[in-house]
Amino acid sequence: MGCCGDQNDAEEELQNHLLSSSSSSASSFTDPSTVISPMNSHFSALACPDTLRLILSKLSVTDLARASCVCRAWSSVASDNNMIVLAFMAPWKLKEVVGMPLNGSFWRDNGIGKFAISHRLARGDTVASLAVKYSVQVMDIKRLNNMMSDHGIYSRESLLIPISSPELLIDGTCYIEFDTYAKREAAVLYLEGAPEKKPSCLLNRVTSVHGRRRIINSLRRSMQVDDETAQYYLSISNGNPRAALSEFSADLEWERQGALA
């Protein structure tokens, strides 16, 4: 059991210290060496990795971060990745967290806003219909996905949906993912199982992102619209910029005729 000898010896020493300190005079409490606290982490029982692991496993993510600043011995235990992941999962009773974040600061906050449901978009889906389906607000979906308008849904394959009920996370498995559209990392829950494997053509799509970005910027300036509207018309035109402009012009003409009528 670790580097501090037998665990029973450590527990007996801790109990004896507590008993002796409780029966001492009032003046003894002014002596820092008689107080068991983070400031006295040199006390042998609190320097034992096995004992520390048992104690620190009960802490929240925030308190675990504080414990790692006490001393080198505490830091080695509190900074252990398994310890941090367990603290991250504990409040929500998660079964497992798969993957590692791009930045270690991801673990510092395990509020409900750190989690999201992945919804694969299907024909007929709208932001409003998804808000009703998952019992969340339209603005919360748009904010989480970095969407300026409802048209942004048409240029994506999936959307992140805020967690409306913590019960959804119980015994669940979350995947740490970076959403390129939302420009954020999240612990993503897939209600229908594990995430799909990325197709082999993904690399080609990634390498063409810069070229597509230039096309969207050009359309945005020509149409005098936001990015997501430009992406929408490009997507319904199968990536043809000329056809996208034609579709946009046709819609403008239809709106003018409707206003005149």
Side-chain angles (χ1 to χ4, degrees):
M1 296 293 294
C3 63
C4 300
D6 189 80
Q7 184 178 17
N8 292 330
D9 294 339
E11 292 178 352
E12 184 178 354
E13 183 182 356
L14 181 60
Q15 290 174 356
N16 292 336
H17 190 87
L18 287 171
L19 289 172
S20 63
S21 63
S22 63
S23 60
S24 62
S25 61
S27 61
S28 67
F29 288 98
T30 61
D31 182 2
S33 64
T34 64
V35 181
I36 299 177
S37 73
M39 297 305 295
N40 286 325
S41 55
H42 62 274
F43 182 63
S44 59
L46 296 180
C48 174
D50 296 314
T51 305
L52 276 177
R53 192 170 288 107
L54 183 64
I55 297 172
L56 299 185
S57 65
K58 309 299 182 182
L59 299 183
S60 65
V61 171
T62 303
D63 290 335
L64 198 60
R66 293 193 182 105
S68 67
C69 300
V70 171
C71 64
R72 185 175 299 177
W74 285 42
S75 178
S76 64
V77 176
S79 300
D80 179 73
N81 186 67
N82 290 333
M83 183 76 72
I84 295 172
V85 173
L86 288 174
F88 184 86
M89 297 192 302
W92 312 111
K93 300 179 181 179
L94 285 167
K95 178 182 178 181
E96 186 180 10
V97 171
V98 178
M100 291 295 294
L102 299 175
N103 193 316
S105 62
F106 177 88
W107 302 115
R108 294 177 185 172
D109 174 22
N110 63 341
I112 194 68
K114 208 75 168 185
F115 301 87
I117 296 170
S118 178
H119 175 86
R120 187 168 183 80
L121 294 170
R123 183 180 295 273
D125 281 344
T126 64
V127 178
S129 68
L130 294 178
V132 172
K133 178 178 179 178
Y134 291 100
S135 302
V136 295
Q137 298 294 319
V138 169
M139 285 306 300
D140 289 339
I141 294 178
K142 294 171 72 173
R143 187 181 300 110
L144 182 60
N145 290 275
N146 195 31
M147 294 171 57
M148 298 299 294
S149 70
D150 292 353
H151 291 307
I153 195 174
Y154 300 110
S155 61
R156 310 181 188 207
E157 296 180 354
S158 62
L159 279 185
L160 296 176
I161 308 296
I163 300 287
S164 60
S165 174
E167 285 74 18
L168 292 171
L169 296 173
I170 297 176
D171 292 327
T173 298
C174 288
Y175 298 81
I176 307 298
E177 297 181 356
F178 182 83
D179 189 291
T180 54
Y181 286 102
K183 299 179 181 178
R184 71 171 71 234
E185 273 189 304
V188 182
L189 178 68
Y190 288 81
L191 297 180
E192 300 178 356
E196 296 181 1
K197 292 185 177 180
K198 302 299 182 182
S200 58
C201 63
L202 181 60
L203 180 60
N204 292 333
R205 291 178 57 191
V206 171
T207 57
S208 64
V209 165
H210 183 65
R212 180 180 174 84
R213 179 74 259 171
R214 291 176 59 187
I215 294 173
I216 291 172
N217 287 339
S218 177
L219 286 174
R220 178 173 55 81
R221 290 192 295 268
S222 299
M223 298 176 178
Q224 296 184 354
V225 296
D226 57 34
D227 276 9
E228 289 170 348
T229 302
Q231 289 180 33
Y232 165 69
Y233 280 100
L234 187 63
S235 64
I236 65 174
S237 305
N238 296 320
N240 188 325
R242 291 177 180 268
L245 285 171
S246 297
E247 289 284 350
F248 179 71
S249 298
D251 285 350
L252 286 180
E253 184 61 28
W254 180 81
E255 289 180 359
R256 291 193 190 97
Q257 290 178 358
L260 292 175

